[in-house]
Amino acid sequence: MRRIIGIFQRTLVMGPLIEAIGMFRKNVLAVPLVLTALVAVGAHASGNEGLSSQSILRNDFSEQKYWPKYEVPRSIEFCGGDWCQEVTVKTKRTTAAWDAVFLMFYYFDANDQYRERRDEWATVLLSKHGKKCVGTSEAKAACALGKLKELHGFEYRRVQYDVGSRCSSNFEVKLPYFGNKGSCVRLRK
């Protein structure tokens, strides 16, 4: 019993749980309270609480080279792989916009090592934004991005920097994902 209490003293539900265990020793009716406390501990231990796509990307790619200095108004741009992901929003940068950036990077540009590392978060985002999406994981991600686009009016682009220019092309949420519509802008020094 002391070992169990010692384990739970390190959790956020320490007080109520210790009381529940004490009541359990005296009263069988305390079982639901103990089970509720254990479920709360399990939910907290899942590791996803307090995480966001923005915090994950900023933590995993903290160097400035991943975050271009060239900024398009009302957009988020992230360069983690062979190309950069840009999500343009109508009003302000939102959690959903950061989720879209993460989904674009994870499913269409990340290497296998990163995909293995962040598989759990990608699954969370697909279950959040891709309800009723079917097919391969890339098809589900494109479907989720389509739903985010419809809901928030996002525009998606693939961006590359080369020889003093910033070139971008539309990212479509259906095959073929990479559209031919694009443009290049000369960067100022």
Side-chain angles (χ1 to χ4, degrees), residues 121-142:
W121 185 250
T123 301
V124 167
L125 293 182
L126 279 186
S127 67
K128 178 180 177 182
H129 299 295
K131 291 180 174 84
K132 298 183 182 177
C133 292
V134 295
T136 65
S137 55
E138 287 80 11
K140 289 177 187 176

mmCIF file with all atom_site columns, all heavy atoms in Angstrom, residues 121-142:
data_model
loop_
_atom_site.group_PDB
_atom_site.id
_atom_site.type_symbol
_atom_site.label_atom_id
_atom_site.label_alt_id
_atom_site.label_comp_id
_atom_site.label_asym_id
_atom_site.label_entity_id
_atom_site.label_seq_id
_atom_site.pdbx_PDB_ins_code
_atom_site.Cartn_x
_atom_site.Cartn_y
_atom_site.Cartn_z
_atom_site.occupancy
_atom_site.B_iso_or_equiv
_atom_site.pdbx_formal_charge
_atom_site.auth_seq_id
_atom_site.auth_comp_id
_atom_site.auth_asym_id
_atom_site.auth_atom_id
_atom_site.pdbx_PDB_model_num
ATOM 1   N N   . TRP A 1 121 ? 1.645   11.848 -32.621 1.00 0.00 ? 121 TRP A N   1
ATOM 2   C CA  . TRP A 1 121 ? 1.027   13.176 -32.790 1.00 0.00 ? 121 TRP A CA  1
ATOM 3   C C   . TRP A 1 121 ? 0.274   13.259 -34.119 1.00 0.00 ? 121 TRP A C   1
ATOM 4   O O   . TRP A 1 121 ? -0.819  13.816 -34.182 1.00 0.00 ? 121 TRP A O   1
ATOM 5   C CB  . TRP A 1 121 ? 2.067   14.291 -32.691 1.00 0.00 ? 121 TRP A CB  1
ATOM 6   C CG  . TRP A 1 121 ? 1.440   15.644 -32.751 1.00 0.00 ? 121 TRP A CG  1
ATOM 7   C CD1 . TRP A 1 121 ? 1.527   16.552 -33.757 1.00 0.00 ? 121 TRP A CD1 1
ATOM 8   C CD2 . TRP A 1 121 ? 0.579   16.241 -31.769 1.00 0.00 ? 121 TRP A CD2 1
ATOM 9   N NE1 . TRP A 1 121 ? 0.784   17.664 -33.463 1.00 0.00 ? 121 TRP A NE1 1
ATOM 10  C CE2 . TRP A 1 121 ? 0.196   17.500 -32.247 1.00 0.00 ? 121 TRP A CE2 1
ATOM 11  C CE3 . TRP A 1 121 ? 0.093   15.818 -30.533 1.00 0.00 ? 121 TRP A CE3 1
ATOM 12  C CZ2 . TRP A 1 121 ? -0.648  18.352 -31.533 1.00 0.00 ? 121 TRP A CZ2 1
ATOM 13  C CZ3 . TRP A 1 121 ? -0.744  16.670 -29.827 1.00 0.00 ? 121 TRP A CZ3 1
ATOM 14  C CH2 . TRP A 1 121 ? -1.102  17.919 -30.329 1.00 0.00 ? 121 TRP A CH2 1
ATOM 15  N N   . ALA A 1 122 ? 0.854   12.694 -35.163 1.00 0.00 ? 122 ALA A N   1
ATOM 16  C CA  . ALA A 1 122 ? 0.180   12.695 -36.467 1.00 0.00 ? 122 ALA A CA  1
ATOM 17  C C   . ALA A 1 122 ? -1.151  11.955 -36.376 1.00 0.00 ? 122 ALA A C   1
ATOM 18  O O   . ALA A 1 122 ? -2.157  12.394 -36.948 1.00 0.00 ? 122 ALA A O   1
ATOM 19  C CB  . ALA A 1 122 ? 1.077   12.070 -37.524 1.00 0.00 ? 122 ALA A CB  1
ATOM 20  N N   . THR A 1 123 ? -1.174  10.864 -35.643 1.00 0.00 ? 123 THR A N   1
ATOM 21  C CA  . THR A 1 123 ? -2.406  10.087 -35.450 1.00 0.00 ? 123 THR A CA  1
ATOM 22  C C   . THR A 1 123 ? -3.444  10.915 -34.694 1.00 0.00 ? 123 THR A C   1
ATOM 23  O O   . THR A 1 123 ? -4.628  10.897 -35.040 1.00 0.00 ? 123 THR A O   1
ATOM 24  C CB  . THR A 1 123 ? -2.101  8.776  -34.696 1.00 0.00 ? 123 THR A CB  1
ATOM 25  O OG1 . THR A 1 123 ? -1.142  8.033  -35.467 1.00 0.00 ? 123 THR A OG1 1
ATOM 26  C CG2 . THR A 1 123 ? -3.348  7.943  -34.485 1.00 0.00 ? 123 THR A CG2 1
ATOM 27  N N   . VAL A 1 124 ? -3.000  11.644 -33.690 1.00 0.00 ? 124 VAL A N   1
ATOM 28  C CA  . VAL A 1 124 ? -3.907  12.526 -32.933 1.00 0.00 ? 124 VAL A CA  1
ATOM 29  C C   . VAL A 1 124 ? -4.532  13.559 -33.873 1.00 0.00 ? 124 VAL A C   1
ATOM 30  O O   . VAL A 1 124 ? -5.739  13.796 -33.849 1.00 0.00 ? 124 VAL A O   1
ATOM 31  C CB  . VAL A 1 124 ? -3.159  13.228 -31.773 1.00 0.00 ? 124 VAL A CB  1
ATOM 32  C CG1 . VAL A 1 124 ? -3.979  14.374 -31.194 1.00 0.00 ? 124 VAL A CG1 1
ATOM 33  C CG2 . VAL A 1 124 ? -2.798  12.233 -30.687 1.00 0.00 ? 124 VAL A CG2 1
ATOM 34  N N   . LEU A 1 125 ? -3.703  14.172 -34.722 1.00 0.00 ? 125 LEU A N   1
ATOM 35  C CA  . LEU A 1 125 ? -4.215  15.203 -35.637 1.00 0.00 ? 125 LEU A CA  1
ATOM 36  C C   . LEU A 1 125 ? -5.171  14.626 -36.673 1.00 0.00 ? 125 LEU A C   1
ATOM 37  O O   . LEU A 1 125 ? -6.185  15.253 -36.999 1.00 0.00 ? 125 LEU A O   1
ATOM 38  C CB  . LEU A 1 125 ? -3.063  15.925 -36.330 1.00 0.00 ? 125 LEU A CB  1
ATOM 39  C CG  . LEU A 1 125 ? -2.186  16.785 -35.439 1.00 0.00 ? 125 LEU A CG  1
ATOM 40  C CD1 . LEU A 1 125 ? -1.113  17.483 -36.273 1.00 0.00 ? 125 LEU A CD1 1
ATOM 41  C CD2 . LEU A 1 125 ? -3.005  17.803 -34.660 1.00 0.00 ? 125 LEU A CD2 1
ATOM 42  N N   . LEU A 1 126 ? -4.859  13.435 -37.188 1.00 0.00 ? 126 LEU A N   1
ATOM 43  C CA  . LEU A 1 126 ? -5.776  12.821 -38.158 1.00 0.00 ? 126 LEU A CA  1
ATOM 44  C C   . LEU A 1 126 ? -7.112  12.478 -37.515 1.00 0.00 ? 126 LEU A C   1
ATOM 45  O O   . LEU A 1 126 ? -8.159  12.650 -38.135 1.00 0.00 ? 126 LEU A O   1
ATOM 46  C CB  . LEU A 1 126 ? -5.164  11.575 -38.786 1.00 0.00 ? 126 LEU A CB  1
ATOM 47  C CG  . LEU A 1 126 ? -4.193  11.800 -39.932 1.00 0.00 ? 126 LEU A CG  1
ATOM 48  C CD1 . LEU A 1 126 ? -3.786  10.469 -40.551 1.00 0.00 ? 126 LEU A CD1 1
ATOM 49  C CD2 . LEU A 1 126 ? -4.763  12.709 -40.992 1.00 0.00 ? 126 LEU A CD2 1
ATOM 50  N N   . SER A 1 127 ? -7.082  12.014 -36.280 1.00 0.00 ? 127 SER A N   1
ATOM 51  C CA  . SER A 1 127 ? -8.355  11.702 -35.618 1.00 0.00 ? 127 SER A CA  1
ATOM 52  C C   . SER A 1 127 ? -9.126  12.971 -35.283 1.00 0.00 ? 127 SER A C   1
ATOM 53  O O   . SER A 1 127 ? -10.352 12.968 -35.266 1.00 0.00 ? 127 SER A O   1
ATOM 54  C CB  . SER A 1 127 ? -8.124  10.860 -34.364 1.00 0.00 ? 127 SER A CB  1
ATOM 55  O OG  . SER A 1 127 ? -7.440  11.591 -33.379 1.00 0.00 ? 127 SER A OG  1
ATOM 56  N N   . LYS A 1 128 ? -8.424  14.062 -35.087 1.00 0.00 ? 128 LYS A N   1
ATOM 57  C CA  . LYS A 1 128 ? -9.070  15.347 -34.770 1.00 0.00 ? 128 LYS A CA  1
ATOM 58  C C   . LYS A 1 128 ? -9.640  16.012 -36.028 1.00 0.00 ? 128 LYS A C   1
ATOM 59  O O   . LYS A 1 128 ? -10.768 16.490 -36.021 1.00 0.00 ? 128 LYS A O   1
ATOM 60  C CB  . LYS A 1 128 ? -8.039  16.267 -34.115 1.00 0.00 ? 128 LYS A CB  1
ATOM 61  C CG  . LYS A 1 128 ? -8.544  17.641 -33.765 1.00 0.00 ? 128 LYS A CG  1
ATOM 62  C CD  . LYS A 1 128 ? -7.426  18.454 -33.108 1.00 0.00 ? 128 LYS A CD  1
ATOM 63  C CE  . LYS A 1 128 ? -7.861  19.859 -32.802 1.00 0.00 ? 128 LYS A CE  1
ATOM 64  N NZ  . LYS A 1 128 ? -6.751  20.641 -32.208 1.00 0.00 ? 128 LYS A NZ  1
ATOM 65  N N   . HIS A 1 129 ? -8.849  16.058 -37.100 1.00 0.00 ? 129 HIS A N   1
ATOM 66  C CA  . HIS A 1 129 ? -9.252  16.809 -38.293 1.00 0.00 ? 129 HIS A CA  1
ATOM 67  C C   . HIS A 1 129 ? -9.705  15.925 -39.458 1.00 0.00 ? 129 HIS A C   1
ATOM 68  O O   . HIS A 1 129 ? -10.240 16.447 -40.436 1.00 0.00 ? 129 HIS A O   1
ATOM 69  C CB  . HIS A 1 129 ? -8.095  17.688 -38.775 1.00 0.00 ? 129 HIS A CB  1
ATOM 70  C CG  . HIS A 1 129 ? -7.641  18.699 -37.778 1.00 0.00 ? 129 HIS A CG  1
ATOM 71  N ND1 . HIS A 1 129 ? -8.441  19.733 -37.349 1.00 0.00 ? 129 HIS A ND1 1
ATOM 72  C CD2 . HIS A 1 129 ? -6.471  18.818 -37.103 1.00 0.00 ? 129 HIS A CD2 1
ATOM 73  C CE1 . HIS A 1 129 ? -7.774  20.458 -36.470 1.00 0.00 ? 129 HIS A CE1 1
ATOM 74  N NE2 . HIS A 1 129 ? -6.585  19.924 -36.298 1.00 0.00 ? 129 HIS A NE2 1
ATOM 75  N N   . GLY A 1 130 ? -9.475  14.613 -39.368 1.00 0.00 ? 130 GLY A N   1
ATOM 76  C CA  . GLY A 1 130 ? -9.767  13.747 -40.502 1.00 0.00 ? 130 GLY A CA  1
ATOM 77  C C   . GLY A 1 130 ? -10.845 12.726 -40.244 1.00 0.00 ? 130 GLY A C   1
ATOM 78  O O   . GLY A 1 130 ? -10.765 11.615 -40.764 1.00 0.00 ? 130 GLY A O   1
ATOM 79  N N   . LYS A 1 131 ? -11.840 13.111 -39.463 1.00 0.00 ? 131 LYS A N   1
ATOM 80  C CA  . LYS A 1 131 ? -12.945 12.168 -39.221 1.00 0.00 ? 131 LYS A CA  1
ATOM 81  C C   . LYS A 1 131 ? -13.588 11.813 -40.559 1.00 0.00 ? 131 LYS A C   1
ATOM 82  O O   . LYS A 1 131 ? -13.805 12.661 -41.404 1.00 0.00 ? 131 LYS A O   1
ATOM 83  C CB  . LYS A 1 131 ? -13.970 12.796 -38.285 1.00 0.00 ? 131 LYS A CB  1
ATOM 84  C CG  . LYS A 1 131 ? -13.442 12.977 -36.872 1.00 0.00 ? 131 LYS A CG  1
ATOM 85  C CD  . LYS A 1 131 ? -14.496 13.594 -35.976 1.00 0.00 ? 131 LYS A CD  1
ATOM 86  C CE  . LYS A 1 131 ? -14.044 13.641 -34.553 1.00 0.00 ? 131 LYS A CE  1
ATOM 87  N NZ  . LYS A 1 131 ? -13.236 14.773 -34.200 1.00 0.00 ? 131 LYS A NZ  1
ATOM 88  N N   . LYS A 1 132 ? -13.863 10.565 -40.754 1.00 0.00 ? 132 LYS A N   1
ATOM 89  C CA  . LYS A 1 132 ? -14.481 10.013 -41.963 1.00 0.00 ? 132 LYS A CA  1
ATOM 90  C C   . LYS A 1 132 ? -13.554 10.030 -43.180 1.00 0.00 ? 132 LYS A C   1
ATOM 91  O O   . LYS A 1 132 ? -13.997 9.792  -44.294 1.00 0.00 ? 132 LYS A O   1
ATOM 92  C CB  . LYS A 1 132 ? -15.791 10.739 -42.288 1.00 0.00 ? 132 LYS A CB  1
ATOM 93  C CG  . LYS A 1 132 ? -16.837 10.598 -41.194 1.00 0.00 ? 132 LYS A CG  1
ATOM 94  C CD  . LYS A 1 132 ? -18.130 11.264 -41.581 1.00 0.00 ? 132 LYS A CD  1
ATOM 95  C CE  . LYS A 1 132 ? -19.137 11.154 -40.447 1.00 0.00 ? 132 LYS A CE  1
ATOM 96  N NZ  . LYS A 1 132 ? -20.371 11.837 -40.725 1.00 0.00 ? 132 LYS A NZ  1
ATOM 97  N N   . CYS A 1 133 ? -12.268 10.328 -42.993 1.00 0.00 ? 133 CYS A N   1
ATOM 98  C CA  . CYS A 1 133 ? -11.313 10.254 -44.098 1.00 0.00 ? 133 CYS A CA  1
ATOM 99  C C   . CYS A 1 133 ? -10.828 8.811  -44.216 1.00 0.00 ? 133 CYS A C   1
ATOM 100 O O   . CYS A 1 133 ? -10.582 8.152  -43.213 1.00 0.00 ? 133 CYS A O   1
ATOM 101 C CB  . CYS A 1 133 ? -10.132 11.186 -43.843 1.00 0.00 ? 133 CYS A CB  1
ATOM 102 S SG  . CYS A 1 133 ? -10.564 12.941 -43.898 1.00 0.00 ? 133 CYS A SG  1
ATOM 103 N N   . VAL A 1 134 ? -10.706 8.339  -45.440 1.00 0.00 ? 134 VAL A N   1
ATOM 104 C CA  . VAL A 1 134 ? -10.311 6.950  -45.677 1.00 0.00 ? 134 VAL A CA  1
ATOM 105 C C   . VAL A 1 134 ? -9.158  6.897  -46.676 1.00 0.00 ? 134 VAL A C   1
ATOM 106 O O   . VAL A 1 134 ? -8.843  7.884  -47.323 1.00 0.00 ? 134 VAL A O   1
ATOM 107 C CB  . VAL A 1 134 ? -11.500 6.103  -46.201 1.00 0.00 ? 134 VAL A CB  1
ATOM 108 C CG1 . VAL A 1 134 ? -12.580 5.995  -45.161 1.00 0.00 ? 134 VAL A CG1 1
ATOM 109 C CG2 . VAL A 1 134 ? -12.049 6.684  -47.494 1.00 0.00 ? 134 VAL A CG2 1
ATOM 110 N N   . GLY A 1 135 ? -8.573  5.706  -46.800 1.00 0.00 ? 135 GLY A N   1
ATOM 111 C CA  . GLY A 1 135 ? -7.503  5.501  -47.764 1.00 0.00 ? 135 GLY A CA  1
ATOM 112 C C   . GLY A 1 135 ? -6.156  5.377  -47.091 1.00 0.00 ? 135 GLY A C   1
ATOM 113 O O   . GLY A 1 135 ? -6.052  5.091  -45.900 1.00 0.00 ? 135 GLY A O   1
ATOM 114 N N   . THR A 1 136 ? -5.101  5.620  -47.871 1.00 0.00 ? 136 THR A N   1
ATOM 115 C CA  . THR A 1 136 ? -3.738  5.575  -47.335 1.00 0.00 ? 136 THR A CA  1
ATOM 116 C C   . THR A 1 136 ? -3.560  6.714  -46.341 1.00 0.00 ? 136 THR A C   1
ATOM 117 O O   . THR A 1 136 ? -4.378  7.639  -46.280 1.00 0.00 ? 136 THR A O   1
ATOM 118 C CB  . THR A 1 136 ? -2.709  5.741  -48.464 1.00 0.00 ? 136 THR A CB  1
ATOM 119 O OG1 . THR A 1 136 ? -2.854  7.052  -49.023 1.00 0.00 ? 136 THR A OG1 1
ATOM 120 C CG2 . THR A 1 136 ? -2.870  4.674  -49.542 1.00 0.00 ? 136 THR A CG2 1
ATOM 121 N N   . SER A 1 137 ? -2.475  6.676  -45.600 1.00 0.00 ? 137 SER A N   1
ATOM 122 C CA  . SER A 1 137 ? -2.245  7.747  -44.627 1.00 0.00 ? 137 SER A CA  1
ATOM 123 C C   . SER A 1 137 ? -2.105  9.093  -45.331 1.00 0.00 ? 137 SER A C   1
ATOM 124 O O   . SER A 1 137 ? -2.590  10.113 -44.834 1.00 0.00 ? 137 SER A O   1
ATOM 125 C CB  . SER A 1 137 ? -1.025  7.443  -43.762 1.00 0.00 ? 137 SER A CB  1
ATOM 126 O OG  . SER A 1 137 ? 0.105   7.197  -44.543 1.00 0.00 ? 137 SER A OG  1
ATOM 127 N N   . GLU A 1 138 ? -1.479  9.125  -46.509 1.00 0.00 ? 138 GLU A N   1
ATOM 128 C CA  . GLU A 1 138 ? -1.361  10.378 -47.257 1.00 0.00 ? 138 GLU A CA  1
ATOM 129 C C   . GLU A 1 138 ? -2.732  10.866 -47.722 1.00 0.00 ? 138 GLU A C   1
ATOM 130 O O   . GLU A 1 138 ? -3.024  12.053 -47.690 1.00 0.00 ? 138 GLU A O   1
ATOM 131 C CB  . GLU A 1 138 ? -0.416  10.215 -48.446 1.00 0.00 ? 138 GLU A CB  1
ATOM 132 C CG  . GLU A 1 138 ? 1.046   10.122 -48.079 1.00 0.00 ? 138 GLU A CG  1
ATOM 133 C CD  . GLU A 1 138 ? 1.463   8.740  -47.605 1.00 0.00 ? 138 GLU A CD  1
ATOM 134 O OE1 . GLU A 1 138 ? 0.675   7.764  -47.744 1.00 0.00 ? 138 GLU A OE1 1
ATOM 135 O OE2 . GLU A 1 138 ? 2.578   8.625  -47.070 1.00 0.00 ? 138 GLU A OE2 1
ATOM 136 N N   . ALA A 1 139 ? -3.588  9.936  -48.156 1.00 0.00 ? 139 ALA A N   1
ATOM 137 C CA  . ALA A 1 139 ? -4.945  10.309 -48.587 1.00 0.00 ? 139 ALA A CA  1
ATOM 138 C C   . ALA A 1 139 ? -5.751  10.842 -47.406 1.00 0.00 ? 139 ALA A C   1
ATOM 139 O O   . ALA A 1 139 ? -6.504  11.811 -47.548 1.00 0.00 ? 139 ALA A O   1
ATOM 140 C CB  . ALA A 1 139 ? -5.648  9.116  -49.218 1.00 0.00 ? 139 ALA A CB  1
ATOM 141 N N   . LYS A 1 140 ? -5.595  10.216 -46.240 1.00 0.00 ? 140 LYS A N   1
ATOM 142 C CA  . LYS A 1 140 ? -6.285  10.710 -45.042 1.00 0.00 ? 140 LYS A CA  1
ATOM 143 C C   . LYS A 1 140 ? -5.787  12.097 -44.664 1.00 0.00 ? 140 LYS A C   1
ATOM 144 O O   . LYS A 1 140 ? -6.570  12.970 -44.291 1.00 0.00 ? 140 LYS A O   1
ATOM 145 C CB  . LYS A 1 140 ? -6.073  9.749  -43.865 1.00 0.00 ? 140 LYS A CB  1
ATOM 146 C CG  . LYS A 1 140 ? -6.806  8.440  -44.006 1.00 0.00 ? 140 LYS A CG  1
ATOM 147 C CD  . LYS A 1 140 ? -6.487  7.537  -42.832 1.00 0.00 ? 140 LYS A CD  1
ATOM 148 C CE  . LYS A 1 140 ? -7.071  6.159  -43.015 1.00 0.00 ? 140 LYS A CE  1
ATOM 149 N NZ  . LYS A 1 140 ? -6.694  5.251  -41.936 1.00 0.00 ? 140 LYS A NZ  1
ATOM 150 N N   . ALA A 1 141 ? -4.467  12.312 -44.769 1.00 0.00 ? 141 ALA A N   1
ATOM 151 C CA  . ALA A 1 141 ? -3.898  13.630 -44.458 1.00 0.00 ? 141 ALA A CA  1
ATOM 152 C C   . ALA A 1 141 ? -4.410  14.681 -45.436 1.00 0.00 ? 141 ALA A C   1
ATOM 153 O O   . ALA A 1 141 ? -4.786  15.792 -45.036 1.00 0.00 ? 141 ALA A O   1
ATOM 154 C CB  . ALA A 1 141 ? -2.376  13.569 -44.481 1.00 0.00 ? 141 ALA A CB  1
ATOM 155 N N   . ALA A 1 142 ? -4.454  14.344 -46.730 1.00 0.00 ? 142 ALA A N   1
ATOM 156 C CA  . ALA A 1 142 ? -4.968  15.287 -47.728 1.00 0.00 ? 142 ALA A CA  1
ATOM 157 C C   . ALA A 1 142 ? -6.434  15.593 -47.457 1.00 0.00 ? 142 ALA A C   1
ATOM 158 O O   . ALA A 1 142 ? -6.875  16.747 -47.577 1.00 0.00 ? 142 ALA A O   1
ATOM 159 C CB  . ALA A 1 142 ? -4.790  14.715 -49.133 1.00 0.00 ? 142 ALA A CB  1
#
